[in-house]
Amino acid sequence: MSNETFSILVVDDEPANIDILLGILKPFYNVKVAPSGVIALKIVEQYPPDLILLDVMMPGMDGFEVCQKLKSDPVLSQIPIIFVTALVQGENEERGFSEGAVDYITKPVSPSITLARVKTHLSLAHQMRTTESLVRKRTEDLMKSQQSAISMLAAAGHYNDTDTGHHIWRMAAYSKCLALRCGWSYEQASLLAQAAPMHDTGKIGIPDSILKAPRKLTDAEMTIMKTHATIGHTILAQSDTPLFKMAAEIALCHHEKWDGSGYPAGLIGEDIPQSARIVAVADVFDALTMKRPYKAPWSDDDAFDYLQKNASLHFDPCLVDFFVEARDEIVATKQYWNDLEKEGTLPSIDNFLPQVVY
């Protein structure tokens, strides 16, 4: 990268000092000048430079204050600042470094030292930006891979169920709504929304003859069907990331019931992970309000009534209360996903809720 691609802002209230630094730097860099701290801040906001040479002793706003303001801005804080000063080293130099400066150049400036210091810090800043860009790109690639894994595992769990449509994504949206309503952070609620669609991953291990049986399952078949919870947990627990750890506990426990009559472990009350309790409410509400070959969709009123009647039996009563309180958000989310299903579209799994819900 040639020097001409770098821009430098020189800040000094003395025209003679500016002329000296211009003479040293202009043959190699794009240089802008500012005669005061106030003007410097305005220039930086409009045309952020790659590096700033900043005089310390200026009337009105001195260099330390300019540095403080720049370092308090998340966007501008990464610009390296070199103080140019006639002050003796020691306390003032220590303060400059504590304010965020990367180096000092003492007056009268030496052309060779100035060029060497500027080149060094521009190179370091460029390397840092390049590294940060690579990290962002790799993080984006990792997130895409993770989202693909979520979609594939969710689809695998419902591969033999041709009538679910957007069910797994819609119930994930309800789960996020409910998690936010009962106090989860936005980040954790979003993690739950990504984990929830994988709750039936274990159905991939259930024979087609049971999954597609056009009748009520026998007791023996139901025993096999119930193993999908432990199968899903076994598959998802192979990853130790927060996302898949949550997905594994949901897969294992989403059929547990508040009164202990669920499976596979017969857990009671708060012994059931809250993530699974949330998904249980969201999953059943969506199943009730879906049209299936063997039933018409229930009305919203009937579905909410069912949840309330089964609070303290199947469902965590506090979560049912929160779900009912969030009725407007739930209904808006349901309409949002129904519209998407009619269009045949599926947004990013990070965008589970309609804008009105945020």
Side-chain angles (χ1 to χ4, degrees):
M1 182 176 291
S2 62
N3 288 341
E4 287 78 7
T5 61
F6 290 109
S7 61
I8 296 175
L9 175 64
V10 174
V11 187
D12 200 308
D13 65 305
E14 293 289 341
N17 292 333
I18 287 178
D19 289 342
I20 292 171
L21 287 170
L22 277 174
I24 296 170
L25 299 168
K26 203 160 187 181
F28 308 101
Y29 303 102
N30 295 321
V31 185
K32 288 184 172 62
V33 299
S36 71
V38 173
I39 294 175
L41 291 174
K42 290 180 179 178
I43 292 174
V44 172
E45 287 178 1
Q46 293 184 350
Y47 309 102
D50 294 301
L51 182 142
I52 299 172
L53 289 175
L54 180 59
D55 184 28
V56 174
M57 300 299 292
M58 294 185 294
M61 183 185 296
D62 66 17
F64 293 130
E65 187 176 352
V66 174
C67 187
Q68 287 174 353
K69 290 184 179 297
L70 290 172
K71 294 304 175 182
S72 67
D73 186 311
V75 176
L76 305 177
S77 63
Q78 299 305 310
I79 300 172
I81 296 173
I82 299 176
F83 278 126
V84 183
T85 180
L87 295 174
V88 295
Q89 295 183 356
E91 185 176 327
N92 286 297
E93 187 176 80
E94 184 178 337
R95 181 183 174 189
F97 285 124
S98 69
E99 298 290 358
V102 296
D103 209 341
Y104 264 88
I105 297 176
T106 57
K107 297 177 182 179
V109 298
S110 160
S112 59
I113 291 176
T114 300
L115 288 173
R117 299 278 178 85
V118 167
K119 182 178 180 180
T120 295
H121 290 292
L122 282 173
S123 178
L124 290 171
H126 177 63
Q127 289 176 20
M128 182 175 294
R129 285 195 296 270
T130 301
T131 301
E132 289 173 348
S133 178
L134 286 172
V135 169
R136 282 195 299 271
K137 178 63 169 61
R138 289 176 180 174
T139 301
E140 289 172 5
D141 290 344
L142 182 61
M143 287 300 297
K144 288 179 182 178
S145 297
Q146 180 170 283
Q147 290 180 358
S148 295
I150 293 168
S151 297
M152 288 186 287
L153 286 167
H158 288 274
Y159 183 75
N160 284 311
D161 189 345
T162 58
D163 300 306
T164 56
H166 280 41
H167 161 66
I168 52 178
W169 311 108
R170 194 167 46 233
M171 59 79 64
Y174 297 151
S175 298
K176 184 173 184 177
C177 269
L178 180 52
L180 290 170
R181 178 65 65 150
C182 67
W184 285 39
S185 70
Y186 190 86
E187 291 73 18
Q188 283 298 105
S190 296
L191 194 71
L192 175 65
Q194 293 183 355
M198 295 182 277
H199 68 288
D200 275 337
T201 296
K203 284 185 177 179
I204 196 171
I206 304 302
D208 288 358
S209 59
I210 294 177
L211 284 174
K212 295 183 176 181
R215 53 174 170 74
K216 184 177 179 180
L217 298 180
T218 66
D219 290 345
E221 290 172 331
M222 181 55 71
T223 298
I224 295 172
M225 174 63 86
K226 289 179 178 180
T227 64
H228 82 275
T230 52
I231 293 171
H233 179 266
T234 299
I235 293 171
L236 296 168
Q238 294 183 52
S239 171
D240 196 37
T241 64
L243 170 63
F244 287 100
K245 286 176 70 174
M246 182 181 289
E249 76 175 11
I250 291 171
L252 183 65
C253 300
H254 70 285
H255 282 293
E256 299 287 359
K257 295 183 180 181
W258 186 259
D259 64 2
S261 63
Y263 66 86
L267 300 178
I268 299 174
E270 293 185 358
D271 288 341
I272 307 167
Q274 191 177 45
S275 60
R277 285 181 270 146
I278 289 172
V279 168
V281 173
D283 192 27
V284 170
F285 178 83
D286 193 60
L288 293 174
T289 55
M290 282 175 58
K291 179 181 179 181
R292 300 302 299 270
Y294 52 83
K295 76 171 186 70
W298 287 29
S299 69
D300 295 340
D301 287 340
D302 288 344
F304 279 107
D305 285 345
Y306 178 88
L307 294 179
Q308 289 177 299
K309 288 176 181 176
N310 284 274
S312 298
L313 298 173
H314 186 161
F315 309 110
D316 179 339
C318 291
L319 292 181
V320 171
D321 288 343
F322 282 127
F323 197 79
V324 173
E325 289 174 8
R327 180 183 177 121
D328 290 345
E329 297 171 18
I330 297 298
V331 171
T333 300
K334 177 170 172 276
Q335 186 61 51
Y336 170 72
W337 279 91
N338 286 346
D339 290 343
L340 290 176
E341 188 167 16
K342 290 176 184 176
E343 297 168 4
T345 58
L346 185 68
S348 163
I349 61 173
D350 284 332
N351 187 24
F352 280 98
L353 306 183
Q355 291 300 313
V356 295
V357 176
Y358 292 118

